[in-house]
C-alpha cells in the first residue's frame, strides 16, 4: 500500500467553487455520535517517519499515541492498513483508550473488492475485527474527486465492504470534498449506502479565507454538508493549515498562521473535526503552493516532537 497523499491541488478547485466564508456564521451544532466532548475531537495519524516515509516501529507509534492521548484527542483517523496500522496503531489506541476511524484506501488501480490492494485491506480489517474501538469506517479518500471511482463503483464497494466486515455494525461514510458531495450523481449514488456524510474541509484552499476566519469557513461548509444526505450526521474528516509554502490569496501559511487557524477551527467546530495531521510529511512532493509537506500540527496542540 503506498503512503497516503491527499491531492491538495484538486482541493483548490473544490474550495474555489465553495462560497467564501460569511462574516459570522453560526457554528455547526454537534449532533449524533460523532462528536467530541472537547474542541479537538480527532486527528489523522499515519505511522510513517516524517523524513523518509518509512514505517515507524511499534514502540514509536506507541509513543506518538501516548502524546495524542495526553493532548486530549479522542479518536484517530487512519487511512489504510499499511505499515501494520491495525496491529500497531490499534494496539496503542486500545492501550490508551482512544477510538479509531478506520479506512480502506483506494488508489488508481481499481475500485472493487477484486482489486488486490483493496481486497488485502478489507480482508485484514475483517480479520482484525476490533469493532468496539471503531467509531466510523471510511471507504475511499477523495476517490471520486481523483477519478479512481465513479459514484456507482464506490457505492458498490461500500456495500461489499459491509458484507465482508459484517461484524461491524457502526456507521460508514466516504471522504470527499464538499463540491464532490454536492454533485447530484454523487449524492444519489452514495447517500443510500452511508450513515454519515464525511468530508475533507481545508480552509487554506479557499483564497478568501484568512487564518482568523478558518473556523467560520469550516462551520459554513459543515452546514452545507448537512443538507446533502438528510438525516445523516456529518463530520469534518481532514482539516488543518500548512506551516510552509506560498500564499493562496488571503490564505497564507506559517507557524503562527497555523496556530491561529487551528484555534479558530477549534473554537467554531473542533468537536466535529478530525485535524490534519499529527506530523509533517517531508517525503511528499511540495505540491500546490509548496505546502504539501508541512501540515503537521503537533506544536499547535502543544505536543512536543
Amino acid at each position: 500500500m503506498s503512503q497516503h497523499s491527499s491531492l491538495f491541488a484538486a482541493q483548490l478547485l473544490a474550495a474555489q467553487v465553495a462560497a467564501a466564508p460569511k462574516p459570522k456564521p453560526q457554528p455547526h451544532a454537534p449532533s449524533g455520535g460523532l462528536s467530541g466532548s472537547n474542541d479537538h475531537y480527532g486527528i489523522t495519524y499515519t505511522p510513517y517517519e516524517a523524513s523518509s516515509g518509512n514505517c515507524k516501529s511499534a514502540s514509536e507509534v506507541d509513543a506518538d499515541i501516548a502524546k495524542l492521548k495526553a493532548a486530549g484527542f479522542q479518536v484517530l483517523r487512519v487511512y489504510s492498513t499499511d505499515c501494520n496500522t491495525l496491529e500497531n496503531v490499534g494496539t496503542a489506541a486500545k492501550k490508551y483508550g482512544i477510538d479509531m476511524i478506520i479506512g480502506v484506501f483506494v488508489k488508481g488501480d481499481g475500485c472493487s473488492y477484486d482489486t488486490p490492494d483493496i481486497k488485502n485491506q478489507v480482508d485484514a480489517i475483517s480479520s482484525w475485527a476490533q469493532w468496539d474501538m471503531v467509531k466510523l469506517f471510511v471507504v475511499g479518500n477523495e476517490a471520486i474527486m481523483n477519478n479512481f471511482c465513479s459514484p456507482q463503483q464506490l457505492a458498490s464497494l461500500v456495500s461489499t465492504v459491509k458484507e465482508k466486515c459484517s461484524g461491524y455494525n457502526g456507521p460508514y461514510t466516504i471522504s470527499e470534498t464538499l463540491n464532490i458531495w454536492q454533485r447530484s450523481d454523487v449524492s444519489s449514488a452514495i447517500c443510500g449506502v452511508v450513515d454519515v456524510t464525511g468530508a475533507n474541509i481545508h480552509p487554506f484552499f479557499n483564497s478568501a479565507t484568512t487564518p482568523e476566519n478558518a473556523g467560520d469557513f469550516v462551520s459554513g461548509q459543515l452546514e452545507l454538508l448537512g443538507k446533502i444526505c438528510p438525516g445523516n450526521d456529518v463530520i469534518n474528516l481532514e482539516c488543518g493549515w500548512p506551516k510552509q509554502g506560498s500564499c493562496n490569496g488571503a490564505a497564507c501559511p506559517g507557524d503562527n498562521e497555523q496556530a491561529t487557524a487551528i484555534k479558530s477551527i477549534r473554537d467554531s467546530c473542533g468537536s466535529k473535526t478530525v485535524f490534519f495531521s499529527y506530523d509533517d510529511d517531508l517525503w511528499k512532493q511540495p505540491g500546490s503552493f509548496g505546502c504539501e509537506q508541512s501540515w503537521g500540527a503537533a506544536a499547535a496542540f502543544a505536543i512536543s516532537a
Side-chain angles (χ1 to χ4, degrees):
M1 178 72 186
S2 63
Q3 286 90 352
H4 163 70
S5 177
S6 293
L7 300 181
F8 289 124
Q11 288 184 330
L12 173 62
L13 173 63
Q16 296 293 5
V17 300
K22 298 177 183 179
K24 288 185 179 297
Q26 294 299 312
H28 185 86
S31 62
L34 289 171
S35 298
S37 59
N38 59 23
D39 65 1
H40 52 296
Y41 179 41
I43 193 164
T44 66
Y45 183 82
T46 46
Y48 311 143
E49 294 177 354
S51 59
S52 66
N54 294 331
C55 298
K56 288 186 174 182
S57 67
S59 61
E60 289 171 324
V61 170
D62 183 279
D64 288 344
I65 294 176
K67 294 176 183 177
L68 293 173
K69 173 65 175 181
F73 288 100
Q74 296 165 287
V75 69
L76 304 175
R77 181 188 175 192
V78 298
Y79 291 89
S80 69
T81 62
D82 59 338
C83 284
N84 296 312
T85 289
L86 297 174
E87 296 81 3
N88 293 348
V89 179
T91 297
K94 176 172 281 190
K95 176 180 176 181
Y96 295 109
I98 302 181
D99 292 322
M100 295 178 69
I101 296 173
I102 63 172
V104 172
F105 194 71
V106 177
K107 300 183 295 184
D109 53 352
C111 188
S112 74
Y113 177 73
D114 295 328
T115 304
D117 183 65
I118 292 176
K119 182 180 187 301
N120 288 340
Q121 292 179 72
V122 175
D123 290 353
I125 292 170
S126 178
S127 297
W128 176 69
Q130 300 294 308
W131 307 128
D132 59 319
M133 300 173 57
V134 179
K135 296 292 287 185
L136 181 65
F137 199 139
V138 183
V139 181
N141 187 69
E142 300 172 358
I144 296 174
M145 185 182 77
N146 291 321
N147 295 313
F148 296 158
C149 301
S150 70
Q152 294 76 17
Q153 287 174 325
L154 191 56
S156 178
L157 180 58
V158 172
S159 296
T160 300
V161 172
K162 289 181 179 180
E163 294 172 4
K164 301 295 182 180
C165 299
S166 58
Y168 173 67
N169 298 314
Y172 279 85
T173 192
I174 65 169
S175 191
E176 296 287 345
T177 50
L178 175 63
N179 71 310
I180 298 298
W181 270 112
Q182 288 176 322
R183 285 170 33 185
S184 60
D185 62 325
V186 174
S187 59
S188 62
I190 301 296
C191 285
V193 297
V194 298
D195 316 282
V196 169
T197 313
N200 294 347
I201 303 173
H202 283 287
F204 176 79
F205 291 100
N206 181 281
S207 62
T209 302
T210 64
E212 292 81 3
N213 289 330
D216 288 347
F217 177 82
V218 175
S219 289
Q221 297 274 286
L222 281 170
E223 293 286 355
L224 294 172
L225 187 67
K227 300 176 182 178
I228 304 295
C229 302
N232 276 14
D233 193 7
V234 298
I235 188 169
N236 179 11
L237 283 167
E238 199 181 280
C239 187
W241 198 272
K243 302 190 296 290
Q244 296 180 9
S246 57
C247 293
N248 171 30
C252 289
D255 290 322
N256 290 335
E257 288 81 358
Q258 183 192 64
T260 298
I262 285 179
K263 182 182 185 303
S264 177
I265 297 163
R266 289 175 70 172
D267 289 345
S268 181
C269 49
S271 66
K272 298 294 290 182
T273 292
V274 178
F275 288 90
F276 181 86
S277 60
Y278 170 65
D279 209 350
D280 285 336
D281 296 310
L282 302 178
W283 48 271
K284 291 182 179 179
Q285 294 299 310
S288 58
F289 304 105
C291 68
E292 187 83 5
Q293 301 171 334
S294 63
W295 291 74
F301 293 96
I303 302 172
S304 61

